[in-house]
């Protein structure tokens, strides 16, 4: 137990002497004050670790002194124990309501006082650890914000001039930073190349996974390579550089105004089509390849589809965030409604109309995946036009309750955390609360999925090759998941935010959690949850976790 600086406030010199001797014998330092005025003056110079406060004193009594201390030092917690001859319940309650933490009657039982000091030391040490953890989380959050702003600036410059060839584009991210990218450039021969790429996951990590694809796209387009060769090289780079479980769905398009041809390589993007000025779909380019970065280059298929248009029209490419966007009733967007919006002359801009249609479809619902749309005109010329971007919507909710169930399909498509993160972004949390709850929700949801439904063992991560094996096994089991669900409930309960996460699987082993060694590379998230939350409990054999977070 560390040495404390204890302030004893009592107008009786004899009482101060007795208490000071006891505290010195316990190995702590003692400072004395004759009344509340002296106590406040001392605290202005140096805050003690613990205050033993008499109630009845001249000039300023203990209750008034305690109220002033609590009002002045709102960011520091100083344990205050009242020492007084009054023992009525009303007197005890008055002391606690004034800001005291405990109460002892005179004559003081030295053993009881020593025990209470030890308790206050433990509480103070725990409070210090929580404060340090909170500061680290806050620092991480702010650093992450700065990194994302820098990354956005760099990536916006890297992805080039999106106005090239009068191309229209719109991205509606599901989190602060979009994991979808759009690149566009002209080849030396005047062919317009563009790529819509959608990395696994969301946010900055997903955008970084697209960086090799963007770099190869620009370099090879400038050198005159066709999109089939560009797709092969991107696949090679992603296979070499991305970790197991990361890949990039992409559609690469080449538009030749002179030849009036569209060449398409589609690996994992759900919708690509040529639509004429009457709004009619003349050609669909379905995904015939797996996403980039999955297959070794020896097994990669670079074959493309080529379409020659006879009437001017537009190429429409969109990510699964659009095709799977659900309205308030859980109904997907009808792509025929989108293609009908393209029934305009090429000189007319249509992206704002598309964005408005998507917004109307979503209503108050949040998109659970990044929405990306590219519309490129197909004519004999491609004059650059200004690009218009529809900003993402944001709505804060003052009072709310939510219950969500994620089935196999939602879990395989990685829709769980983006949905939950969308709610966290809308319930009015401040920066620190958001940082705390993001950690708590992520940890509990990941435990429910990895251990409850996928039956993975975190101890596999501790070996040299275990983490790679863990990710590989996770990908395989998640892809094969056909049964099971995760239920998440969140609600506001006064000044508490209550969260419950339950899986229909085996849960996680509580005995293994409590018996793991201190140097284990897993399980630290659960320990941090216990420090961040006011209440943490586990039920039904580890399949249900409940926490209460103090707002």
């Amino acid at each position: 137990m560390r040495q404390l600086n204890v302030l004893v406030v009592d107008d009786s010199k004899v009482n101060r002497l007795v208490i000071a001797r006891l505290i010195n014998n316990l190995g702590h330092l003692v400072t004395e004050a004759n009344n509340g005025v002296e106590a406040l003056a001392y605290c202005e110079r140096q805050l003690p670790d613990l205050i033993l406060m008499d109630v009845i004193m001249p000039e300023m009594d203990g209750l008034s002194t305690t109220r002033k201390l609590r009002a002045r030092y709102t960011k520091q917690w100083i344990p205050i124990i009242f020492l007084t001859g009054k023992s009525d319940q009303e007197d005890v309650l008055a002391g606690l309501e004034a800001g005291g933490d405990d109460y002892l009657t005179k004559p003081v039982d030295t053993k009881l006082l020593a025990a209470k000091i030890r308790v206050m030391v433990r509480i103070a040490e725990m409070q210090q650890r929580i404060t340090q953890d909170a500061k680290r989380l806050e620092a991480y959050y702010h650093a992450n914000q700065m990194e994302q702003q820098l990354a956005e600036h760099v990536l916006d410059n890297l992805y080039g001039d999106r106005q090239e060839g009068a191309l229209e584009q719109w991205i509606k991210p599901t989190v602060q930073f979009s994991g979808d990218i759009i690149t566009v450039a002209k080849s030396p021969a005047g062919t317009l190349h563009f790529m819509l790429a959608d990395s696994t996951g969301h946010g900055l990590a997903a955008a970084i996974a697209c960086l090799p694809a963007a770099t190869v796209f620009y370099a090879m387009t400038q050198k005159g390579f066709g999109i089939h060769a560009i797709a092969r090289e991107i696949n090679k780079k992603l296979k070499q550089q991305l970790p197991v479980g990361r890949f990039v769905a992409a559609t690469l398009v080449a538009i030749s105004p002179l030849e009036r041809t569209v060449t398409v390589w589609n690996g994992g993007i759900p919708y690509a089509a040529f639509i004429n000025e009457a709004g009619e779909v003349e050609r669909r380019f379905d995904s015939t390849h797996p996403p980039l970065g999955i297959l070794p280059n020896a097994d990669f298929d670079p074959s493309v589809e080529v379409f020659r248009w006879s009437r001017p029209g537009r190429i429409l490419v969109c990510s699964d965030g659009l095709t799977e966007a659900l309205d308030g009733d859980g109904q997907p967007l009808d792509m025929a409604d989108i293609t009908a919006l393209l029934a305009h002359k090429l000189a007319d801009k249509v992206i704002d109309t598309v964005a408005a249609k998507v917004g109307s479809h979503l209503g108050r619902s949040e998109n659970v995946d990044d929405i990306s749309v590219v519309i490129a005109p197909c004519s004999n010329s491609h004059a650059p036009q200004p690009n218009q971007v529809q900003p993402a919507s944001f709505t804060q909710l003052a009072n709310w309750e939510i219950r969500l169930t994620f089935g196999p399909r939602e879990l395989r498509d990685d829709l769980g955390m983006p949905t939950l993160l969308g709610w966290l972004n809308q319930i009015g949390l401040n920066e620190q609360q958001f940082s705390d709850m993001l950690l708590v929700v992520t940890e509990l949801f990941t435990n429910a999925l990895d251990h409850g439904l996928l039956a993975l063992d975190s101890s596999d991560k501790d070996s040299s090759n275990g983490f790679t094996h863990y990710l590989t096994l996770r990908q395989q089991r998640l892809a094969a998941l056909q049964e099971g669900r995760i239920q998440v409930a969140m609600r506001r309960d006064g000044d508490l935010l209550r969260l419950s996460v339950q899986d229909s699987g085996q849960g996680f082993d509580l005995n293994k959690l409590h018996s793991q060694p201190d140097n284990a590379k897993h399980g630290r998230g659960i320990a941090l949850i216990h420090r961040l939350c006011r209440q943490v409990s586990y039920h039904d054999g580890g399949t249900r976790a409940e926490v209460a977070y103090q707002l």
Side-chain angles (χ1 to χ4, degrees), residues 136-330:
R136 283 195 291 268
L137 285 171
E138 184 176 10
Y140 168 78
Y141 178 79
H142 286 298
N144 184 57
Q145 292 292 97
M146 294 179 63
E147 290 171 358
Q148 290 200 6
Q149 291 173 5
L150 174 61
E152 185 173 9
H153 176 78
V154 172
L155 293 175
D156 280 346
N157 289 326
L158 177 64
Y159 297 153
D161 182 9
R162 295 174 180 171
Q163 296 179 350
E164 184 74 68
L167 180 142
E168 300 181 80
Q169 63 87 26
W170 176 53
I171 296 179
K172 179 178 174 60
T174 186
V175 292
Q176 182 176 359
F177 199 85
S178 175
D180 293 359
I181 68 167
I182 298 169
T183 59
V184 55
K186 276 190 176 180
S187 72
T191 300
L192 178 70
H193 285 183
F194 73 84
M195 174 178 67
L196 187 153
D198 180 4
S199 176
T200 50
H202 308 285
L204 181 58
I208 290 176
C210 290
L211 278 173
T215 303
V216 172
F217 172 86
Y218 286 122
M220 295 190 69
T221 295
Q222 291 172 0
K223 293 179 180 179
F225 287 95
I227 61 169
H228 64 287
I230 297 174
R232 180 189 291 276
E233 186 63 19
I234 291 174
N235 181 77
K236 178 182 177 181
K237 290 292 184 183
L238 295 180
K239 183 66 175 176
Q240 292 173 344
Q241 298 179 6
L242 294 188
V244 174
R246 287 281 184 180
F247 49 83
V248 177
T251 293
L252 286 82
V253 179
I255 301 175
S256 174
L258 295 178
E259 298 179 358
R260 294 189 178 184
T261 59
V262 176
T263 305
V264 178
W265 186 94
N266 189 354
I269 296 298
Y271 193 91
F274 180 91
I275 302 160
N276 61 34
E277 291 179 316
E280 300 168 342
V281 178
E282 293 193 11
R283 177 68 175 269
R284 280 287 304 270
F285 302 97
D286 294 327
S287 174
T288 56
H289 306 288
L292 298 165
I294 294 180
L295 296 176
N297 249 31
D299 298 329
F300 182 79
D301 180 5
S303 61
V304 297
E305 294 184 68
V306 179
F307 170 73
R308 182 184 294 271
W309 73 81
S310 58
R311 295 182 293 174
R314 297 174 175 87
I315 290 291
L316 170 65
V317 182
C318 59
S319 67
D320 56 358
L322 180 65
T323 59
E324 297 177 2
L326 304 179
D327 62 15
D329 296 326

Side-chain angles (χ1 to χ4, degrees), residues 514-530:
H514 295 306
S515 63
Q516 66 184 13
D518 293 337
N519 61 350
K521 298 180 181 178
H522 60 279
R524 299 174 184 175
I526 290 294
L528 185 56
I529 287 177
H530 279 264

Side-chain angles (χ1 to χ4, degrees), residues 29 33 99 137 219 227 245 285 300 332 351 358 392 394 413 423 469 548:
L29 302 177
L137 285 171
I227 61 169
F285 302 97
F300 182 79
I351 195 66
V358 175
F394 181 83
D413 291 344
W423 275 96
H469 172 72

Side-chain angles (χ1 to χ4, degrees), residues 23 36 86 122 167 203 258 358 377 384 407 538:
I23 294 172
K86 295 185 175 183
R122 290 197 298 270
L167 180 142
L258 295 178
V358 175
Y538 307 95

